[in-house]
Structures are given as structure tokens and as C-alpha cells.
Amino acid sequence: MTLPTHAQIVVIGGGIIGCSTAYHLARDHKADVILLEQGKITSGSTWHAAGLVGQLRASASITRVLKYSVELYKGLAAETGLDTGWKMSGCLRLATNADRWTEYRRLATTARSFGMEMHLISPEEVKRMWPLMDVSDLVGASWLPTDGQASPSDITQSLAKGARMHGARLHEGVTVTGFQMDGRRITGVVTDQGTIACEKVVNCGGMWARKIGAMAGINVPLQPVKHQYIVTERIAGLSPDAPTLRDPDRRTYFKEEVGGLVMGGYEPNPQGWVQGDIPKNWEFRLFDDDYDHFAQHLEQAIARVPALEQTGVKQMINGAESFTPDGNFILGPAPECANMYVGAGFNAFGIASGGGAGWVLAEWVMRDEAPLDLWVVDIRRFSGLHRDRQWVFDRTMEAYGKHYTIGFPHEEYESGRPRITSPLFARLKEHRAVFGSKLGWERPNWFAPEGMEARDVYSMGRQNWFAPVGAEHAHVRGKVGVFDQSSFAKYELSGPKAAEALEWICANRVARDVGRLTYTQLLNTRGGIEADLTVARLAEDRFYIVTGTGFRTHDMAWIADHLPGAGCALEDVTEGWGTLSLMGPAARAVLEKVTGADVSNAAFPFGHVREIGIAGATVRALRVTYVGELGWELHVPLDRTGAVFDALMAAGGADIRPVGYRALESLRLEKGYRAWSSDITPNDTPFEAGLGWAVKMKGNTPFMGRAALEAVQGKPLVKRFVGFTLEDPEAVLVGRETILRDGEPVGYLTSGGYGYTVGKSIGYGYARNAAGVTEDWLAAGRYDLVVAGEVLPARLVTGPLVDAEGARIRA
């Protein structure tokens, strides 16, 4: 079949993700789609995948994506006539210790929050469901009845046939060798059989996705890892309807197949494969069996299912799977290229994710916007750091090894650290800082007092930093703290059209007088919040934009993609500036000692930016706060950050101390400030989030998302951001706890923590009611939170719990 010379969209890769994407593009959008596969459909890692299909994840959106996969697989055979091997056998997850059981109690609460069925069952019930299992060490298990298993090759062939039925053209045996480019835009896909002119490209190349991306200057941080499983001979007494089994404390999984078992696992010492290009003709290749490495899984599996000791092995599969540095897959528009989208790095979740990932990727490609909050899998969560192949290898090996470990709250990765440090790293270490890592930056999470080891000790209850963070929190409320926030992402937008461009991109009015600072959201066409940042006007034609560390690539790309034409230039200046946040009631007293500038409220009001001199440096001082206290963000030329820190510490004396991110989180919870990616997301509008005051609806200024907000303005909100406190002193809130109103679920928490000033656990989330979440409806309810399966009475909070800032802003 001759290769066509043009198409609207070219999908590269004929595994489950590529076939699903082509199917949805053709079925839902009637797009003109060509799919190119270098080998045969199901090549790569799809054909040798184990085929377990689970649905529950920590993100509501990703759970929805996985639920969609199940719904699709259920009905696909009827549409295409090709069976998918889908079997809703349910899934058992086993727990052998108290921490794992707490994790499952939290997961069961999450499942309830997301509208999924999940039960916690006893060892006796597990034995009835899986008689061949030794349950003597079990505390219990979780049971998800709607999980199941499928045949990866059959699903993929069914999706491929469905794509053809809807008009997509699939070509096998075609290798992509490069791209024709016009600036940042791909104009043609070059293959060994000719060039295809196109409007958009979707890179679903599996473990080849990194190489395909590199041809267009795009980084796809993947690492192939050897993943082994066995297929056993028949086992007497094994039911064909046996649930799939995950035994994470023994790091293994099982599923029934033709009367025997498929068994594999995730070892703590994984074997990474090549860091460079995949060898030629590897599409249907496997590695040699490695029983020496697999023995650790076999030993654990026999202990769980003793019948395995007398059972023969029909086959061992040792194949390469694509893994990522954080264990989440990769979707979305590559920031380096205007029209390449990526769907890759599925961490052995490709079959479970395939149907839903193809659906959201097709929507994203056609609308240039994700259909829901997909931040946790967005390719723009990565940065330049992820071009370092060795760093990606080391971190991916660690992530693979954690696949089945207990997910303790606030757990940090350890590999590849320290990578990026601020000029204060050594000084903060002397203050006994315990660091965390965000997008490669070392950031102080908390400071250990003398006599206490300066390291995190993870647990499911209150962790070892709880009391020290309380002391830091109290210090900021009573005196003054200094936070090293040098990792903040910072950009400058300049040029004659800069103000006009930002007025279109930002929901709030940012083209104010020179010297003004504005907090604003950036909205998508649905009115959902795509970013949350501050914009300071430095000059008529120059603006300084500050956002969160982890959102550096995402927010830069969002702004760049929505700049209207020429007349402005966007530059990332993150490494040019250190950032010291000076916060607390004594902040002005300290600042007055180190600068000759007038920092009185009259001369330097809230929401303003000024250049002031400190320790010989010209500092951009931003009067803004995220902790609910009087304060300034001091943006210092990077090489002068240490000198300014020393000057502040000397001026503050006993009243000042360095403070970490854990205290910052506690302080912002008390003030009710929202955090992007948890409290506010692309799924939430400013009206729903209680941020309508920050949107320029008055007047007729056009801005992105305005039409969507106008359509709902004045109508009852069906969901609304609210807060809660708990009286139970031991309750640990981590987010996703179910909100009950008069005993009925009405939503779930988006973030949770502890407020040391109020002495209570604090949680925020959205309450939902189809008839409207009015003040009267809220006030009339009785509220509880479901915390790790326990129903705890909660008090509704609709304003800040601590509002010291209100008085101090005017001081």
C-alpha cells in the first residue's frame, strides 16, 4: 500500500496507545488520521504486557481515565467484532502490616470519593475468594470488583480495526526517520517510504518515543527497564474467575490465564536497559530468561501460593517496558514544539490506561487543550533537568523500585540529589535544614532542633517533623521568618505588545500602573484554572511573572502558546534571581534595618513592587504573601542572595529564623490560600474556587475563558470551595477524604494538613449539589469527613481561619 503524501494528523506507533489515539481521533472527531508502525500492530511492549487492568489512582482525573478504559473494553468487541479478552474478575490487594492497612483504608476512602466500589475484607474472606492462597500473614485485603484483565494484543487489534472502520489509515513496516520543520512547527513526517505533510503529530512510540521526540528537538524522559513474569502450567483448583492479585508487601502480582497463573513483580534492584537508542528490529524481541534475578519474586510467590512449588513454568517473558522518573505516564503537547503531542512512558500501566489515554489525547490534539485536569501526567511537569540521561536513569530505577512500596505521605525521592541548590544551601544546612526536592531544586522542608536527627522518618501518623514545624509556624505568626524560595519559576515578558498580550492571557487586570503587582489566574476556554501566579509591572513594556517551582515548564509553555503574534518576547529568568520571603509581624522592622528605602505602608503598600537596596544589591521587593502575614518576597540577583540573607539574619537577631516549606503549607492552610494542582485545577473555575474577585468581569475587556465564565455568571454554583476543621487531635488529613453532608457524600478534600495556630487539622475541597451550593444550603448541613475509613465530625469553614494579614496589610 502506497504511503499517502498528506494527512491532518500522523500518529507514530501501533501499540495500544497509538491505536487507541487513532481510534478516538477517527471516531470522535472524524479526523484525517494516518498511523505509522515500524513493525506490526502490537509491536514494542504491548504484545508482551501482562494485561492487568486496575482503575484506582490518587488523582480523580486519572481514575476517570482508567474507568473509561474499562467501559471501552467492555463494549469494543461488539463494535469491531474482535474480542478483547476483557474479564471483570475484580482485584484483591493484600496487606500484611498496619501501615499497608492504613494505606488501604485511605485508598478505600479515595475510591468512595471518586465514586468507585472498594471493600476492605478479612483474611477469611480472602481465603474464600482465593482458596489456593496462604493467608496466615494477612491483616486483610482491599477488593475492587470492577477491576479485571484483558489480552493486550487482542485489545490493540480491536482498537486498530475500530480505527480503520472510522476512516483511519494504518500503515505497518514504516520507519520514521525525521521531520520537516518550520521553526518550532513540524510540517512533514519523513519516513523510509516518503514524506507525509501534516498539521499535527502524535508521538506514541513507546520506548522509541524518546528517539522520535529528539528528531524534533523534544525531550521525552523515558527509560526502558527489563520486566519479567512467568506463565505457569495448569494449577488444580484454580478458578477461571479467580480475581487478579496484587501482593505489594511481597512485591508480586498474579492473574489467572488458561488454568495457570501469570506472575511477576517489581524488585527493589531493577535492571535498566539501554540509555541510548533501542537496537534495530527490536519490535518483537525479548531478553534471555534471567531466573537468578527473578528468584526473589519466585520465592515470595511460592510463600503466597504454595501450589506453585509443584507447578511447571510454561514460559518466562523478559521484555522491556518504558518507565518514567516519577512513575506517572506522559501525555500532552511537547513544550519545545508547536504541534507534537506525546503519549508514552506507561510504567507497565499501558493496558489499564490505553483506552482512556487515547480518548483524552485525541481531545487534547483536536482542541489544543486537555479535556480535564491531567497535570500529574502532563509532559510539561518535566524541565531541562530531564535531558540528563544518567539522572533520568537513576531516578527511574528508584521509581520502579517503589512501585509496590507503601506510599507514605510527604515521601521524598533520594536519587540524583542534590542536583540544583540555591546559594543558601550550605547556610541552611548549618541551621540543620532537612531538604526536599522539587524539579531538581533542593528546598528546606523543615529545620531539626539541636539533639534531633535532621532527617525525615516516614509514618502513616504524625511524622517526626510535626513538633519542629509547629515551632517554625509559631515563630512566623509571632515574629518573622525567612523562607528560601529561590526555586520559584520567574519569567520576563517585554515589548510594545506585552501589556496587551497579558491582558488577554490573564483573568485579572495586570496592565496596571508601573510598580503594581497582581495575583491572577490563567484560564482555559472552559474557564478552568490552568495557572495561578503573580505579575508585576516593572515598566510600561516589561512585566515580571512569578510562579511555583514545579510549574516552570508548564506555565512558560502556556503563556508562550497563547501570546497573540509578535510584539513581545518571553524569557525564563529563573536562575537569575534568588528569592527570600520575609514574612511575619516583625518583617518591616527587619527590612527597615537593612535598606534606606521607605518601606512604610504609605510608601510601599500591599500589591506593589519596588527596587530597594540591601547589602549592596538592587533587590526587587514584591509586597505579597502566601502565609497570611505582613511580608515581602525579595528577589535578589542570584550571586548576592547569600549577602542579603546574612544581612536579614543579622538585623533580625533573635526575632528571625529560617523557615521551611512544611510550615509554609500549614500557614497557607490557616489563611485559606489555594494551591494550584490540588485546590485549583483546569477542572475548576475561579467562581467555584471563591476567586471571582480576581477576575475582570466588569467592563468588556476580552480575556481567555471569559465566554465560559459569562455563560455561568449569576447562576447557582453546583460546586464550591469550602474548608473544614476536625476536633480529633490524632486525625491526619492528606487530601481525597470524603466530605459527608447529613451522611451523604458531597465531595472530597483537595488538600489537608494541620493548623498550629488553631490547633486543628484543616482540609479544603469542593462541596457539590446539583441544585446549587448556596450559603443557606451550606449552613443547613451537618458535616463529617471520612478519614482512613473513619467518620469524624467536621466544622464547616467558609473564610480564613487566621486573618492576621487583614490587620497587618494596612499597618
Side-chain angles (χ1 to χ4, degrees):
M1 192 162 48
T2 310
L3 207 60
T5 56
H6 64 274
Q8 182 187 1
I9 300 164
V10 175
V11 176
I12 303 170
I16 189 167
I17 309 302
C19 289
S20 179
T21 303
Y23 168 82
H24 286 92
L25 283 166
R27 187 195 74 177
D28 298 347
H29 304 282
K30 309 298 181 270
D32 171 24
V33 184
I34 290 174
L35 182 146
L36 305 177
E37 165 52 51
Q38 63 182 349
K40 298 283 188 189
I41 296 299
T42 78
S43 283
S45 57
T46 295
W47 69 275
H48 63 70
L52 277 70
V53 179
Q55 299 165 81
L56 183 61
R57 299 295 283 269
S59 154
S61 289
I62 302 307
T63 299
R64 188 174 157 196
V65 167
L66 300 179
K67 284 169 81 171
Y68 176 93
S69 292
V70 166
E71 291 307 311
L72 180 70
Y73 300 160
K74 279 182 189 173
L76 195 60
E79 180 190 347
T80 67
L82 289 183
D83 190 41
T84 61
W86 166 250
K87 186 164 71 171
M88 196 170 84
S89 51
C91 176
L92 285 167
R93 285 179 171 85
L94 309 181
T96 67
N97 57 68
D99 282 340
R100 182 73 71 182
W101 191 238
T102 299
E103 182 179 51
Y104 287 179
R105 282 165 45 211
R106 286 185 179 155
L107 275 173
T109 302
T110 298
R112 181 176 184 178
S113 293
F114 296 171
M116 279 191 69
E117 191 181 350
M118 179 173 174
H119 308 281
L120 298 178
I121 63 175
S122 68
E124 292 73 31
E125 289 172 282
V126 173
K127 184 74 173 175
R128 278 198 296 276
M129 294 169 75
W130 236 92
L132 295 176
M133 193 195 308
D134 179 357
V135 299
S136 59
D137 62 339
L138 293 191
V139 177
S142 72
W143 165 239
L144 286 98
T146 60
D147 279 0
Q149 59 190 75
S151 163
S153 292
D154 289 347
I155 288 181
T156 305
Q157 292 291 0
S158 191
L159 285 166
K161 184 176 178 185
R164 289 189 190 99
M165 286 166 59
H166 292 289
R169 294 170 285 172
L170 280 61
H171 292 263
E172 297 177 312
V174 180
T175 300
V176 173
T177 57
F179 298 100
Q180 291 178 340
M181 306 286 293
D182 179 7
R184 290 178 63 244
R185 182 168 290 277
I186 295 169
T187 57
V189 179
V190 183
T191 79
D192 58 356
Q193 295 173 37
T195 298
I196 306 171
C198 63
E199 296 171 22
K200 293 182 179 179
V201 175
V202 191
N203 176 2
C204 300
M207 56 187 158
W208 290 268
R210 189 186 71 80
K211 182 181 180 182
I212 293 163
M215 294 176 191
I218 289 157
N219 181 41
V220 184
L222 296 176
Q223 176 57 49
V225 181
K226 296 178 181 181
H227 184 76
Q228 296 188 93
Y229 65 86
I230 57 170
V231 185
T232 75
E233 303 283 1
R234 286 183 170 275
I235 300 176
L238 180 64
S239 165
D241 298 320
T244 61
L245 197 64
R246 288 178 173 85
D247 189 2
D249 295 326
R250 293 184 180 273
R251 300 194 289 269
T252 53
Y253 61 79
F254 304 80
K255 75 162 187 171
E256 187 277 338
E257 188 166 289
V258 201
L261 283 175
V262 167
M263 186 281 288
Y266 292 87
E267 60 276 15
N269 58 333
Q271 296 178 315
W273 192 32
V274 291
Q275 292 185 44
D277 291 341
I278 310 296
K280 285 192 181 301
N281 306 315
W282 195 269
E283 295 85 12
F284 286 104
R285 294 270 304 279
L286 292 170
F287 304 107
D288 292 338
D289 296 350
D290 187 349
Y291 276 100
D292 287 344
H293 193 72
F294 194 72
Q296 57 189 307
H297 295 315
L298 212 48
E299 183 184 337
Q300 296 294 337
I302 289 168
R304 179 62 66 215
V305 184
L308 282 172
E309 196 161 18
Q310 275 75 50
T311 304
V313 174
K314 258 200 300 199
Q315 187 183 16
M316 171 174 271
I317 304 287
N318 187 1
E321 294 267 8
S322 266
F323 284 79
T324 65
D326 62 3
N328 288 323
F329 46 89
I330 298 174
L331 290 181
E336 306 96 331
C337 177
N339 59 342
M340 181 185 272
Y341 288 76
V342 179
F346 279 82
N347 305 283
F349 278 112
I351 309 310
S353 315
W359 159 56
V360 293
L361 198 48
E363 291 282 326
W364 213 335
V365 169
M366 296 305 294
R367 305 187 197 286
D368 288 320
E369 195 173 281
L372 58 163
D373 170 28
L374 296 171
W375 167 244
V376 294
V377 296
D378 193 319
I379 190 169
R380 294 167 297 183
R381 72 188 186 273
F382 300 119
S383 69
L385 159 73
H386 295 88
R387 289 183 175 274
D388 181 333
R389 295 295 305 146
Q390 188 61 48
W391 191 94
V392 167
F393 180 91
D394 294 342
R395 179 58 58 90
T396 304
M397 292 306 101
E398 184 183 6
Y400 180 105
K402 286 177 178 283
H403 193 90
Y404 274 162
T405 59
I406 293 167
F408 289 109
H410 314 291
E411 191 172 357
E412 296 276 353
Y413 284 100
E414 295 175 4
S415 58
R417 295 178 57 190
R419 175 61 186 228
I420 308 169
T421 58
S422 94
L424 302 184
F425 184 69
R427 288 172 173 83
L428 297 176
K429 255 193 157 167
E430 286 176 15
H431 283 277
R432 303 179 51 76
V434 181
F435 290 91
S437 177
K438 193 70 168 271
L439 212 62
W441 285 83
E442 291 293 317
R443 312 191 314 172
N445 276 340
W446 60 285
F447 292 83
E450 289 294 339
M452 180 180 185
E453 194 179 358
R455 71 177 184 96
D456 287 318
V457 178
Y458 300 121
S459 77
M460 283 297 186
R462 298 269 179 241
Q463 296 188 1
N464 66 320
W465 46 262
F466 183 73
V469 168
E472 293 173 38
H473 174 117
H475 194 91
V476 175
R477 284 272 182 257
K479 295 176 182 176
V480 61
V482 60
F483 301 82
D484 180 12
Q485 297 191 283
S486 300
S487 62
F488 271 162
K490 313 161 198 91
Y491 326 115
E492 287 190 14
L493 186 71
S494 56
K497 296 276 191 181
E500 183 184 319
L502 281 174
E503 280 297 291
W504 164 249
I505 293 168
C506 298
N508 206 346
R509 191 164 74 84
V510 295
R512 302 172 190 266
D513 294 341
V514 172
R516 289 296 303 274
L517 169 77
T518 308
Y519 165 70
T520 184
Q521 283 83 47
L522 314 187
L523 307 183
N524 56 40
T525 57
R526 305 190 311 278
I529 300 169
E530 287 285 346
D532 171 74
L533 41 77
T534 58
V535 179
R537 191 167 200 174
L538 304 179
E540 286 295 324
D541 62 351
R542 192 155 65 107
F543 293 82
Y544 185 56
I545 302 165
V546 182
T547 190
T549 306
F551 315 135
R552 177 178 181 175
T553 306
H554 173 275
D555 291 6
M556 177 89 170
W558 182 268
I559 295 167
D561 287 348
H562 295 90
L563 289 175
C568 49
L570 181 64
E571 183 186 2
D572 186 323
V573 296
T574 300
E575 273 77 20
W577 300 88
T579 305
L580 301 176
S581 290
L582 186 71
M583 301 284 160
R588 181 177 286 116
V590 171
L591 202 53
E592 284 173 336
K593 289 182 183 175
V594 297
T595 184
D598 185 350
V599 293
S600 67
N601 194 57
F604 198 158
F606 187 77
H608 283 68
V609 57
R610 299 274 187 273
E611 283 197 342
I612 65 174
I614 305 177
T618 302
V619 174
R620 282 180 188 169
L622 281 58
R623 177 96 190 268
V624 64
T625 176
Y626 190 55
V627 302
E629 290 291 342
L630 172 69
W632 284 263
E633 279 177 19
L634 303 173
H635 292 250
V636 185
L638 196 71
D639 62 350
R640 301 296 298 156
T641 308
V644 171
F645 175 81
D646 292 344
L648 293 172
M649 292 299 289
D655 285 348
I656 195 168
R657 63 172 290 180
V659 179
Y661 273 82
R662 299 256 160 85
L664 183 81
E665 175 68 4
S666 168
L667 291 156
R668 77 97 187 165
L669 285 170
E670 289 186 339
K671 177 60 182 173
Y673 284 134
R674 284 67 161 155
W676 192 82
S677 79
S678 54
D679 300 323
I680 48 177
T681 75
N683 292 347
D684 313 307
T685 70
F687 296 162
E688 294 165 339
L691 296 171
W693 56 268
V695 182
K696 55 187 176 220
M697 297 303 288
K698 291 175 184 167
N700 297 311
T701 309
F703 62 89
M704 191 161 175
R706 179 170 189 131
L709 295 187
E710 283 178 337
V712 297
Q713 193 174 17
K715 294 180 181 174
L717 294 169
V718 296
K719 73 175 197 188
R720 180 173 161 184
F721 190 75
V722 290
F724 299 93
T725 58
L726 293 177
E727 293 300 325
D728 187 329
E730 296 304 311
V732 176
L733 297 180
V734 295
R736 299 177 300 282
E737 291 84 0
T738 310
I739 302 166
L740 302 180
R741 180 185 179 274
D742 297 337
E744 294 298 317
V746 293
Y748 55 89
L749 297 189
T750 50
S751 63
Y754 191 81
Y756 294 90
T757 307
V758 297
K760 291 180 173 64
S761 288
I762 303 169
Y764 292 101
Y766 289 87
R768 291 164 169 82
N769 180 34
V773 183
T774 62
E775 295 285 349
D776 288 345
W777 181 84
L778 283 171
R782 176 184 58 78
Y783 295 93
D784 301 283
L785 296 179
V786 184
V787 183
E790 284 188 69
V791 177
L792 301 177
R795 184 172 75 84
L796 180 74
V797 177
T798 53
L801 283 155
V802 176
D803 196 19
E805 175 198 23
R808 289 171 186 158
I809 274 180
R810 294 179 286 276

